[in-house]
Amino acid sequence: MNFDWLKRVMPRGLYGRAALILFLPVVVVTVVVTVMFLQRHFEDVTRQMSSGMASEIGLVVHRIDAAPDIAAARAAAQEVTGRLGLQLILPAGAGGEDRRVFYDLSGRIVITELHEKVAEVRAVDLSRRREVRVTLQGRWGPYQLVFPRVRVSASNPHQLLVLMIGTSLLMTAIATIFLRNQLRPIRRLARAAEDYGKGRIIPYRPGGASEIRSAGTAFLEMRARIERQNEQRKQMLSGVSHDLRTPLTRLRLGLSMLSPDYPPEPDEIAALESDVAAMGTMVDAFLDHARDAAQDAPPEPVPALDFLRGIVADAQRGGQRVVLHALTGDEAGRATFRRDSLRRAVENLIGNAVRYGERAEVDAALGPSYFRISVEDDGPGIPPEKREEALKPFTRLDPARNQNRGQGVGLGLSIAADIARAHGGQLRLGEGERLGGLRAEIVIPR
């Protein structure tokens, strides 16, 4: 069955669809209750009341037909009608035909019931709102019985309908206000996302229901992450251009000092080759960082402690002075992360530790909801006021770290911090309690 037509008539906007979901059940329930009320009230109750009135009319008919003359009939009937609350008109006109207004739903039941129960009924006049005139044909000619309308149908039956419709309208108005307040945060989130897609950053604060707040918080985190990556890219480009300028200047100066008449000295060639090697290292580090950020494998469950043992063993085989200090947690426990990315982050921390210190120690803890890896060295450490700066790309803190220990381009801590954030965790820098140098901790959720 093709329902394309339904898609065309459905509202396009979220507000229209939410309103349809909210108001359609209210309308359906109101209609169903109204139909049931009409059937029960206007048919069953009216039929029951009309049947009782037909019995009273039948009693009057019997008295009139049993009288010997019209005067006696009038006297006998008035004796009964007075007690029953009926007005007798004897004799009366022919009465014509049944009459009722078009919106008198219960009148149809009254007319039908009186005709069925009393054979002498010739016409029922319901044109007057508050009284009923029943014309009957008796032994002494036509006569009429007049009684209040409330005797055959409930008084003010429309009150329940009015109350129900009024309540529905009131609840609809309240629901509309509530719905508008709930949709306002969604519109604000959509506007912030649309403006950010156009390159504009507008103030946005999550609000509304918990799901909308969660989506707004996720958007802010995504926007902050993108802005942070853009800032890091700018810093990396600035760092590359800055760091390449020094060896390029030395190369240019060295080349200008070469004489075309004499071959270059070995020291001059070695100096030029050293500058070229330094430039290659910087460019390779930048390309590796960009390549790893773009080629991250999906996270997978990995035996956490065995994973760390493998990294330390590889570092020891490479000649780095690093040891495992302590591993706590379930030996068979698994954590979900990107294996290659986290390995690179830990290797960068170990490389920094052995570069700026004599030795390094690694410990880890696998908790119920986290996986923590700590690398501590015995180097000079980083002052607390410079630790945030140390996480920026191409930052080398010469007073804090011993630059004579090796060549670096200032990407190790920055890469480790990015990888930790990509896993929903963080990189924390502090002072080592055992060795007295820098203590770097990567904490990620399991």
Side-chain angles (χ1 to χ4, degrees):
M1 187 178 295
N2 192 353
F3 291 98
D4 292 340
W5 63 271
L6 185 60
K7 295 180 180 179
R8 290 193 295 269
V9 300
M10 288 289 289
R12 296 290 184 180
L14 179 61
Y15 186 84
R17 295 188 177 186
L20 182 64
I21 294 173
L22 183 63
F23 300 145
L24 185 60
V26 175
V27 174
V28 171
V29 169
T30 302
V31 171
V32 171
V33 172
T34 301
V35 172
M36 293 181 63
F37 170 76
L38 290 176
Q39 181 180 4
R40 178 67 179 171
H41 192 86
F42 286 103
E43 291 186 12
D44 296 350
V45 175
T46 302
R47 183 175 287 110
Q48 183 178 2
M49 297 179 68
S50 299
S51 177
M53 178 55 65
S55 300
E56 296 180 8
I57 294 176
L59 177 61
V60 175
V61 170
H62 176 73
R63 288 295 185 92
I64 292 177
D65 290 344
D69 55 44
I70 189 171
R74 184 181 300 108
Q78 287 178 346
E79 180 182 358
V80 177
T81 56
R83 296 178 180 180
L84 295 178
L86 306 177
Q87 178 184 355
L88 174 66
I89 301 176
L90 178 66
E97 58 184 9
D98 298 330
R99 290 190 295 176
R100 66 180 180 91
V101 293
F102 70 94
Y103 56 83
D104 188 357
L105 302 178
S106 62
R108 177 178 55 85
I109 305 299
V110 173
I111 294 174
T112 302
E113 193 70 16
L114 293 180
H115 277 288
E116 290 180 355
K117 299 294 183 180
V118 183
E120 289 80 6
V121 173
R122 293 296 177 263
V124 179
D125 184 4
L126 301 176
S127 59
R128 297 174 178 84
R129 189 176 62 175
R130 296 186 178 182
E131 70 176 20
V132 179
R133 289 180 175 267
V134 181
T135 302
L136 302 101
Q137 180 64 44
R139 178 181 177 183
W140 311 107
Y143 59 94
Q144 288 185 345
L145 291 176
V146 182
F147 52 87
R149 177 63 185 269
V150 295
R151 300 285 299 276
V152 290
S153 60
S155 61
N156 299 324
H158 63 280
Q159 288 182 352
L160 180 59
L161 294 178
V162 172
L163 179 62
M164 183 172 57
I165 295 174
T167 304
S168 300
L169 293 177
L170 177 61
M171 298 305 298
T172 299
I174 296 175
T176 301
I177 297 174
F178 177 78
L179 181 62
R180 183 176 300 173
N181 291 335
Q182 292 301 311
L183 292 181
R184 187 179 296 114
I186 300 179
R187 291 196 184 99
R188 292 177 53 244
L189 175 59
R191 190 181 306 113
E194 183 179 359
D195 287 341
Y196 185 66
K198 297 177 181 179
R200 299 190 297 267
I201 298 179
I202 63 175
Y204 171 73
R205 182 171 60 86
S210 58
E211 293 83 358
I212 303 175
R213 287 177 179 270
S214 178
T217 302
F219 166 73
L220 289 179
E221 292 176 352
M222 178 195 68
R223 188 172 71 176
R225 185 164 57 250
I226 294 174
E227 290 300 311
R228 185 168 57 248
Q229 291 174 350
N230 291 336
E231 184 64 25
Q232 289 179 352
R233 186 178 297 109
K234 294 177 183 178
Q235 291 178 354
M236 291 175 65
L237 292 176
S238 176
V240 168
S241 63
H242 178 271
D243 290 351
L244 288 178
R245 188 175 295 113
T246 299
L248 281 174
T249 301
R250 289 200 301 264
L251 279 174
R252 189 178 296 109
L253 181 60
L255 291 174
S256 66
M257 297 290 291
L258 294 179
S259 173
D261 299 328
Y262 300 98
E265 297 291 333
D267 293 342
E268 296 175 339
I269 296 176
L272 295 176
E273 290 176 348
S274 176
D275 289 335
V276 172
M279 294 169 58
T281 301
M282 296 177 192
V283 174
D284 290 341
F286 174 76
L287 293 178
D288 289 342
H289 179 57
R291 188 181 301 112
D292 288 347
Q295 296 180 354
D296 278 342
E300 58 180 354
V302 178
L305 300 183
D306 288 342
F307 168 77
L308 189 59
R309 288 192 185 97
I311 295 177
V312 174
D314 292 342
Q316 290 173 344
R317 286 196 301 269
Q320 295 177 321
R321 299 186 60 185
V322 57
V323 296
L324 272 175
H325 177 263
L327 298 178
T328 59
D330 184 8
E331 285 291 333
R334 292 175 175 263
T336 302
F337 52 82
R338 299 177 180 87
R339 183 191 296 265
D340 295 337
S341 296
L342 192 58
R343 168 179 280 273
R344 186 181 184 201
V346 177
E347 288 177 346
N348 283 346
L349 296 182
I350 294 175
N352 281 352
V354 299
R355 180 181 300 118
Y356 300 113
E358 296 293 339
R359 59 194 179 93
E361 293 183 357
V362 178
D363 58 81
L366 185 63
S369 60
Y370 66 89
F371 180 35
R372 186 184 70 240
I373 303 173
S374 303
V375 180
E376 185 175 336
D377 61 50
D378 59 353
I382 298 177
E385 66 273 8
K386 293 187 177 182
R387 288 170 186 167
E388 184 176 355
E389 182 182 356
L391 298 179
K392 297 179 180 179
F394 294 98
T395 299
R396 293 189 292 272
L397 306 176
D398 295 348
R401 309 292 276 176
N402 186 356
Q403 294 297 313
N404 297 324
R405 292 288 181 181
Q407 297 295 327
V409 295
L411 282 176
L413 293 178
S414 174
I415 291 174
D418 287 344
I419 292 174
R421 281 192 292 262
H423 285 81
Q426 60 178 333
L427 172 64
R428 299 184 297 207
L429 302 181
E431 184 177 352
E433 297 179 356
R434 297 187 306 272
L435 303 182
L438 179 69
R439 179 179 179 86
E441 287 186 350
I442 292 179
V443 183
I444 62 173
R446 289 186 62 179

